[in-house]
Amino acid sequence: MKEQLLDTWDINQRMNLLLINNTSDAGMQKTLSTRGGRTIFQQWIHIHNVRMQWLEVCAKDIFVKYEVLNKDMVDDRKVLLKALEESFAGISLLLSRSWDDEGKVKGFKKGIIPLLGYFISHESHHRGNILLTLKQSGEKIPDTLKWGLWEWGK
C-alpha cells in the first residue's frame, strides 16, 4: 500500500510535468484575470510554494533543504522545474515517513491519505485552471496532453 500511495503522488507530478512541457513560453504568460491574477507561470510557483508551506508545518527538517520561490520572479522554466522536482521529493519523503508512522502527519490531524488528497485536489484545480486559460487564450492543446492527463493507470 505504501508503494501505491507514493506511486499516486508520482503520477500527479508526471501530470504536472506533462502540462508544463506542453505549454509554450508565451502560454506560460497567459492569464484570464483582469485584476492582476496569476499567470500560468505564477500558478506553478504557487503550487511549489504551497508544498513548501506544508513542509514547513509538517517536516521542518525537509523544508530547510529547499527554497520557496518569489511569486514575482522572472520567468525561468529551468528554475521552476528544479523547484517543483525538489518540492515533489520533499513531499514524497514526508509521505513515506508518515506512512511508516502509522499515517500520522504533524500539523495535519486527519493523516496521510487526506493530506495526499489535499495535494492532488489543489494541484488538479490549478491544472484545470491552466488548461482553461490556455484554451480561452487560443493556445493549441496537443492531443497527447488532452488525453495524457487522464492516463493515471499506465
Side-chain angles (χ1 to χ4, degrees), residues 42-138:
Q42 290 169 329
Q43 287 189 63
W44 289 116
I45 291 172
H46 168 75
I47 286 170
H48 167 75
N49 286 346
V50 166
R51 291 174 178 180
M52 293 299 293
Q53 288 169 342
W54 279 107
L55 287 172
E56 186 175 25
V57 169
C58 302
K60 284 192 193 302
D61 65 312
I62 300 171
F63 169 79
V64 298
K65 295 179 184 179
Y66 309 116
E67 292 188 28
V68 172
L69 292 176
N70 179 330
K71 66 181 179 134
D72 297 318
M73 71 177 264
V74 174
D75 296 0
D76 185 329
R77 193 181 295 246
K78 187 175 178 181
V79 169
L80 175 67
L81 288 170
K82 181 178 183 283
L84 285 168
E85 284 298 328
E86 289 175 347
S87 61
F88 161 76
I91 298 297
S92 294
L93 182 55
L94 171 64
L95 293 172
S96 181
R97 280 186 191 173
S98 297
W99 181 270
D100 293 342
D101 191 24
E102 300 178 359
K104 296 177 189 148
V105 181
K106 178 187 171 220
F108 197 87
K109 67 181 178 179
K110 293 290 187 177
I112 189 174
I113 306 269
L115 180 61
L116 178 61
Y118 166 84
F119 284 125
I120 291 174
S121 295
H122 176 250
E123 295 182 16
S124 296
H125 159 75
H126 284 285
R127 285 195 301 267
N129 194 343
I130 288 165
L131 284 168
L132 181 63
T133 300
L134 291 170
K135 286 179 186 178
Q136 290 191 346
S137 298

